[in-house]
Amino acid sequence: MIKTSRLLLLLIMISLFTGCSRLLFYPYKTHVRTPKQLGLTYTDISVITRDGIKIHGWLLPAQGMLKGSIYFLHGNAENVSTHIMSVEWLPEQGYQVFMIDYRGFGLSEGEPALPDVFMDIEAGFDWLFAHSDNKPLFLLGQSLGASLGLFFAGTQPTVKNQLAGVISDSSFTRYNDIVRHAASTTWLTWPLQYPASWLMAYPYDPIDVIDRIAPTPLLIVHGTADTIIPFEHGQRLYEKAGEPKQFLKTDGGHIQTFMRPEHRLNVLAFLNRITTKHD
């Protein structure tokens, strides 16, 4: 999640001169809340990446009988403590949630950059798969986390086979597409939109690999009022994806899906339909 338009403009202008992938990430080290303050039981988990970085995460155990596991990848700003509200409702529905901070975020070591964060995602996924109790495992990503998650699932055949379903909320299609859009929203950076997008061209675009996720079920969620990542990004991803796939169109803004009970129910129906088949 991009915190303010001023910050976004600053990142775009700097990226024009540096092309540095670290500018895609806006980490915050301090936790502003814990799951306990929300009335949730949790465990601090640490995993080690292939390059020796310690990654921190929270495991929120399911309440009652375990239906499945949710691997949650948050957006590009802050840390797990500010994104937990997107998934705090899932344990009550029988799903354990494992959410990690990428390197440099929260209590995780290192500095965030592409492609290094994929090692963080890999380490967290491997840990959760080993602790999923043979129940269905889902990947849920939001914003940058959704884009990273789609690429991760689409390029790792073993991971795809281990996933029961993938949920993408407010993903973008390409890194240079979203930089160009952000630069075009104000007169100050409008002239920079194409040079900045050229420098932010990375070989990790989710739209190039999303069709490889099939036949794993895919749910794409996007809000028509999203001004950070426009609705058309979700539409284009859905069109490129293979079957089985679903599209949940909301009228909300950026990663506001789970603020609305009806959208929670729609996502829960996707999860429950798959977990019922695995019983």
Side-chain angles (χ1 to χ4, degrees):
M1 183 177 64
I2 300 172
K3 294 185 67 175
T4 64
S5 58
R6 181 176 300 177
L7 169 65
L8 180 58
L9 296 179
L10 177 61
L11 295 185
I12 293 167
M13 295 178 73
I14 295 174
S15 72
L16 176 63
F17 299 103
T18 66
C20 179
S21 72
R22 288 182 175 84
L23 297 173
L24 292 167
F25 303 95
Y26 189 68
Y28 186 64
K29 301 298 292 185
T30 304
H31 283 171
V32 302
R33 65 173 65 87
T34 67
K36 183 178 180 180
Q37 292 171 308
L38 299 174
L40 296 171
T41 301
Y42 76 105
T43 303
D44 286 294
I45 302 294
S46 292
V47 298
I48 305 298
T49 64
R50 285 187 284 113
D51 61 342
I53 300 296
K54 182 184 289 186
I55 298 300
H56 172 262
W58 282 338
L59 176 68
L60 312 178
Q63 299 174 20
M65 184 176 297
L66 177 66
K67 293 181 180 178
S69 301
I70 309 291
Y71 185 37
F72 179 61
L73 303 177
H74 65 69
N76 74 341
E78 301 169 343
N79 58 50
V80 289
S81 71
T82 58
H83 290 273
I84 191 174
M85 300 307 294
S86 291
V87 293
E88 55 84 23
W89 59 281
L90 283 163
E92 186 178 9
Q93 301 300 325
Y95 293 92
Q96 67 173 352
V97 178
F98 184 44
M99 50 195 307
I100 65 163
D101 268 327
Y102 317 114
R103 58 187 64 201
F105 285 72
L107 304 181
S108 294
E109 297 176 346
E111 295 292 331
L114 285 173
D116 299 348
V117 294
F118 288 111
M119 288 188 281
D120 310 342
I121 295 170
E122 175 189 58
F125 180 85
D126 289 345
W127 185 91
L128 183 56
F129 180 73
H131 295 81
S132 60
D133 197 25
N134 294 318
K135 297 292 186 178
L137 172 57
F138 300 88
L139 189 154
L140 166 60
Q142 288 190 312
S143 191
L144 178 62
S147 303
L148 294 170
L150 290 174
F151 188 84
F152 178 67
T155 55
Q156 304 293 327
T158 300
V159 168
K160 180 185 75 171
N161 293 334
Q162 292 169 336
L163 283 168
V166 176
I167 303 170
S168 166
D169 183 8
S170 307
S171 173
F172 52 78
T173 53
R174 300 185 185 279
Y175 289 88
N176 57 5
D177 282 347
I178 196 58
V179 170
R180 185 166 62 247
H181 163 73
S184 69
T185 58
T186 173
W187 66 267
L188 181 64
T189 55
W190 191 91
L192 306 180
Q193 57 183 298
Y194 287 100
S197 70
W198 296 334
L199 289 173
M200 282 293 184
Y202 297 112
Y204 315 113
D205 293 326
I207 198 167
D208 291 335
V209 301
I210 192 170
D211 57 325
R212 301 182 201 170
I213 295 175
T216 300
L218 173 65
L219 173 63
I220 294 178
V221 185
H222 218 110
T224 57
D226 192 336
T227 58
I228 302 299
I229 300 177
F231 179 72
E232 67 182 44
H233 284 254
Q235 289 179 304
R236 288 168 58 194
L237 287 168
Y238 179 76
E239 291 168 1
K240 181 69 183 301
E243 296 286 354
K245 60 183 178 180
Q246 293 177 243
F247 191 88
L248 174 57
K249 174 183 176 181
T250 76
D251 58 2
H254 192 59
I255 63 171
Q256 294 180 352
T257 302
F258 300 114
M259 294 181 181
R260 300 272 291 274
E262 61 268 32
H263 300 327
R264 292 185 181 188
L265 289 174
N266 285 325
V267 172
L268 189 60
F270 174 82
L271 296 170
N272 287 343
R273 183 167 57 251
I274 294 171
T275 55
T276 300
K277 291 180 181 179
H278 281 75
D279 287 342

